[in-house]
Amino acid sequence: MMVRVSGRHTLESLAADAVALGRGRPRAVLGVAGSPGAGKSTLVAALLTRIGERCGAGWAAHVPMDGFHLADAQLRRLGLLDRKGAPETFDPVGYAHLLERVRTETGIDVYAPGFDRALEQPLAGALVVPPTARLVITEGNYLLLDEPDWARARRAMDEVWFVAADEDTRLGRLVARHVEFGKSAAQALAWVTEVDGRNAARVSATAGAADRVILNGASGWAISA
């Protein structure tokens, strides 16, 4: 059953559930998965804002999967530059190892890579999980992929929520994003169709393994119940 609610009420409910996940243990890791353009980053940013309002700055931290993109130099070496964004263009073992550290090394700053969308390159040590963080939210396309290295990363997460969106909205967001960061409209549409489309099909097939599915539609959010 899908329960439709909209606006701040939905986000408050989701934020409350995320906070509950982080209480009663040294630190929890919440994953947010979904296809490219579904709204993962939008949801995570809203959750972090509301959790900060509830629990104070530093109670939650953000470690996106995008920091584990392989740099273009490595993609050229591997012959994968034209498939950038596919599962094989990431470092899932490094990602899993960092999430394992985040869970267990709760008394020190744990540094994590970020991703610069203007450069389309990972940035080492751009993010930090401080000792005050009781919850770490990580987001990415492939958190539920049924392959050994990605499964190791999944085991480091307490729950994974899956964000889905209607296809027209999702594709429109993706094209606009690629144009914003330098592609022509024709190049953006071709990339979304030929590259992102294949990746999205692999991701959408993993939704059934999620602990919760959240629909991001024109009429608001719909929460799996």
Side-chain angles (χ1 to χ4, degrees), residues 15 43-53 60-62 135-137 139:
L43 177 61
V44 169
L47 285 175
L48 288 169
T49 296
R50 282 155 177 77
I51 291 169
E53 292 168 354
H62 184 207
L135 177 71
V136 174
I137 302 180
E139 79 198 73

Side-chain angles (χ1 to χ4, degrees), residues 9 39 47-48 66 76 88 129 140 163 170-171 185 196 220 223-224:
H9 176 74
L47 285 175
L48 288 169
D66 274 355
R76 289 190 190 95
E88 57 270 26
V129 178
V163 179
R170 189 182 70 79
L171 294 175
D196 288 336
I223 306 174
S224 177

